[in-house]
Amino acid sequence: MQHPIIEEQEFNKVDYTETALPKGEYELCTFNGCDFSNSELSKIKFMECEFVGCNLSSVNIFGASFQEVKFEDCKMLGIRFDLCNGFGLALDFTNCQLDHSSFYQVKLINSSFLNCKMKDIDLTEADLTKVTLDNCDLSGAIFERSNLEKSDFSTAINYSIDPENNKLKGASFSIPAVTGLLDKYQLKIANQ
């Protein structure tokens, strides 16, 4: 069964917790102030769409496609990005709350996270090559065998990354947050 293609539509303050967003391909659409919390977005395709001021917490995105999708001012707690379709995946986040979400083995090359709260997220085996993490709080974030080459952590805070267990070549860091690369050694570092 062929799903409809919905193009250049604007959806304002729609509550999708009761009635799910219809299956289809959404191109160049904007979702403003919509509530998707705990709803079903599986196998829906989003291309060049924007989500602004939406609640997407605990949404099911199994098999969903996100190609050149932007999220701004969104609440996105506990989302399993590792379950979405990885083909053409391209995401950018601005002022979003992504706590407890999973990017396990997700390729996010060239993505940007600007002013995001990313507490306790799982970035195990994620490919974050050339990713920008501008002014992001990474408290409790899990970095295990992650590719962080050429990524920009220069304004990120509260990260703890094991340089022996992650690829860091060409990544940017700044003082004092760079001490998060030494956490595993339990050193005492004094400010002078």
Side-chain angles (χ1 to χ4, degrees):
M1 180 174 141
Q2 184 99 10
H3 292 297
I5 297 174
I6 298 94
E7 296 179 297
E8 299 182 39
Q9 297 288 317
E10 193 165 314
F11 302 87
N12 294 304
K13 299 187 181 198
V14 181
D15 185 349
Y16 292 108
T17 61
E18 299 293 325
T19 305
L21 179 70
K23 299 272 189 218
E25 294 184 15
Y26 293 82
E27 295 181 31
L28 298 164
C29 292
T30 303
F31 299 88
N32 291 305
C34 297
D35 189 354
F36 294 94
S37 57
N38 296 300
S39 67
E40 189 71 39
L41 296 180
S42 61
K43 302 196 177 170
I44 295 177
K45 191 171 191 177
F46 299 97
M47 294 171 288
E48 298 181 66
C49 291
E50 291 185 24
F51 292 81
V52 181
C54 295
N55 183 354
L56 293 119
S57 295
S58 300
V59 69
N60 181 3
I61 58 172
F62 178 80
S65 292
F66 296 94
Q67 299 173 358
E68 296 183 47
V69 175
K70 296 181 181 189
F71 298 93
E72 185 175 339
D73 299 316
C74 290
K75 185 176 181 182
M76 307 176 74
L77 305 175
I79 298 179
R80 298 274 316 267
F81 288 97
D82 56 316
L83 299 178
C84 71
N85 185 341
F87 181 76
L89 183 68
L91 305 168
D92 288 306
F93 304 90
T94 303
N95 299 321
C96 291
Q97 189 173 0
L98 291 153
D99 300 351
H100 308 289
S101 292
S102 175
F103 291 92
Y104 173 72
Q105 294 185 333
V106 174
K107 288 186 179 181
L108 289 171
I109 298 167
N110 288 315
S111 291
S112 64
F113 296 84
L114 309 174
N115 299 311
C116 292
K117 289 183 172 54
M118 303 170 70
K119 295 180 180 181
D120 300 312
I121 64 168
D122 186 0
L123 294 160
T124 302
E125 297 179 21
D127 189 346
L128 302 172
T129 304
K130 297 181 183 176
V131 164
T132 299
L133 294 142
D134 187 16
N135 198 34
C136 292
D137 185 348
L138 293 155
S139 299
I142 301 168
F143 293 94
E144 290 287 329
R145 299 172 306 283
S146 305
N147 186 347
L148 308 172
E149 293 177 337
K150 299 181 182 173
S151 289
D152 186 355
F153 284 82
S154 57
T155 59
I157 59 170
N158 298 323
Y159 53 81
S160 179
I161 302 170
D162 181 352
E164 295 174 18
N165 199 19
N166 295 281
K167 295 179 182 178
L168 296 174
K169 185 175 183 178
S172 300
F173 299 92
S174 65
I175 295 172
V178 72
T179 59
L181 299 178
L182 303 172
D183 285 347
K184 84 174 209 170
Y185 302 110
Q186 299 178 359
L187 303 173
K188 293 181 182 180
I189 301 170
N191 283 337
Q192 292 272 335

